[in-house]
């Protein structure tokens, strides 16, 4: 795995949704580092990538309410566990669960294993509410996929909050999920 600055010199063979991520970041004047790698389907697979990238890849989860009428993209530290009941109470949405893959595709143009905050650029109707666990904001950089899980980017956290989110017309709800809670 080689750490490089910015977009690939040659985008041949790359998916359009990945190229759109680079176009967005470049249009906003955002510096980022990139690593290309084998598809990373789990947070465990991201551990070596984290070391090379020198940024912790965030866990990004698409959640929905029971009726599948409210959708939330949750960003939290990759090693953190949480209870959906605690998050439900914090954001005032009952019965949260993981959204089905078809909603990932429909709203974010992303498939399972590739969920990323950069997918919000594809949510032009603002169907998905971003929720960020506050510890994510404590690091200078965060790692995320460019809508495909065979590359990972390190982006300045302040660029996410000050440039990317305004550009894609989304705001974040900040939560403080307890560290000791287990998934459930």
């Amino acid at each position: 795995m080689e750490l490089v600055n910015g977009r690939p010199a040659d985008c041949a063979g790359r998916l359009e949704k990945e190229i759109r991520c680079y176009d967005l970041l470049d249009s906003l004047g955002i510096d980022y580092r990139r690593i290309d790698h084998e598809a990373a389907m789990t947070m465990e697979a991201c551990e070596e990538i984290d070391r090379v990238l020198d940024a912790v890849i965030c866990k990004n989860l698409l959640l929905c309410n029971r009726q599948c009428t409210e959708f939330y993209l949750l960003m939290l530290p990759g090693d953190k566990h949480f209870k959906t009941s605690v998050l439900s109470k914090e954001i005032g949405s009952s019965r949260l669960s993981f959204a089905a893959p078809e909603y990932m595709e429909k709203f974010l143009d992303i498939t399972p294993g590739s969920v990323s905050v950069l997918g919000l650029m594809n949510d032009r109707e603002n169907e998905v509410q971003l929720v960020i666990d506050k510890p994510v904001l404590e690091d200078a950089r965060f790692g995320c996929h460019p809508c495909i899980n065979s590359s990972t980017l390190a982006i300045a956290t302040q660029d996410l909050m000050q440039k990317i989110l305004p550009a894609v017309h989304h705001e974040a709800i900040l939560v403080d999920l307890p560290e000791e809670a287990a998934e459930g």
Side-chain angles (χ1 to χ4, degrees), residues 40-58:
M41 296 299 291
T42 64
M43 290 310 298
E44 292 76 24
C46 293
E47 289 177 7
E48 178 63 21
I49 298 164
D50 286 354
R51 283 190 285 279
V52 176
L53 199 60
D54 192 27
V56 176
I57 299 174
C58 291

Side-chain angles (χ1 to χ4, degrees), residues 5 7 20 51 55 110 121 130 135 152 156 163 174-176:
N5 290 320
R7 72 186 306 131
R20 284 194 317 263
R51 283 190 285 279
I110 290 178
M121 71 180 183
L130 177 62
T152 304
K163 294 180 181 179
L174 302 180
V175 296
D176 199 1

Side-chain angles (χ1 to χ4, degrees), residues 48-178:
E48 178 63 21
I49 298 164
D50 286 354
R51 283 190 285 279
V52 176
L53 199 60
D54 192 27
V56 176
I57 299 174
C58 291
K59 190 183 301 183
N60 291 266
L61 305 170
L62 187 64
L63 305 170
C64 64
N65 64 356
R66 185 178 200 169
Q67 299 81 12
C68 296
T69 57
E70 296 174 354
F71 294 87
Y72 303 91
L73 175 60
L74 173 63
M75 287 179 71
L76 69 160
D79 59 352
K80 191 169 189 178
H81 298 283
F82 75 103
K83 286 188 176 184
T84 55
S85 60
V86 172
L87 179 60
S88 292
K89 189 179 288 184
E90 278 218 38
I91 63 174
S93 182
S94 62
R95 297 274 179 115
L96 289 178
S97 62
F98 294 100
E102 57 263 25
Y103 292 114
M104 293 176 192
E105 292 254 5
K106 178 180 178 182
F107 299 132
L108 304 176
D109 192 18
I110 290 178
T111 55
S114 300
V115 177
S116 167
V117 67
L118 294 177
L120 291 175
M121 71 180 183
N122 301 312
D123 180 29
R124 291 177 181 86
E125 302 298 319
N126 285 64
E127 301 283 348
V128 178
Q129 172 63 59
L130 177 62
V131 179
I132 301 176
D133 189 23
K134 288 180 183 176
V136 168
L137 302 177
E138 294 171 4
D139 290 322
R141 287 187 307 277
F142 71 98
C144 68
H145 297 306
C147 295
I148 187 80
N149 64 358
S150 56
S151 292
T152 304
L153 310 178
I155 300 172
T157 306
Q158 73 176 24
D159 284 340
L160 171 66
M161 301 304 289
Q162 296 172 7
K163 294 180 181 179
I164 297 171
L165 293 182
V168 299
H169 310 289
H170 280 74
E171 293 182 8
I173 294 173
L174 302 180
V175 296
D176 199 1
L177 298 172

Side-chain angles (χ1 to χ4, degrees), residues 3-21:
L3 182 63
V4 295
N5 290 320
R7 72 186 306 131
D10 180 8
C11 287
R14 297 198 184 246
L15 297 177
E16 181 184 328
K17 59 186 168 185
E18 179 183 3
I19 296 167
R20 284 194 317 263
C21 289

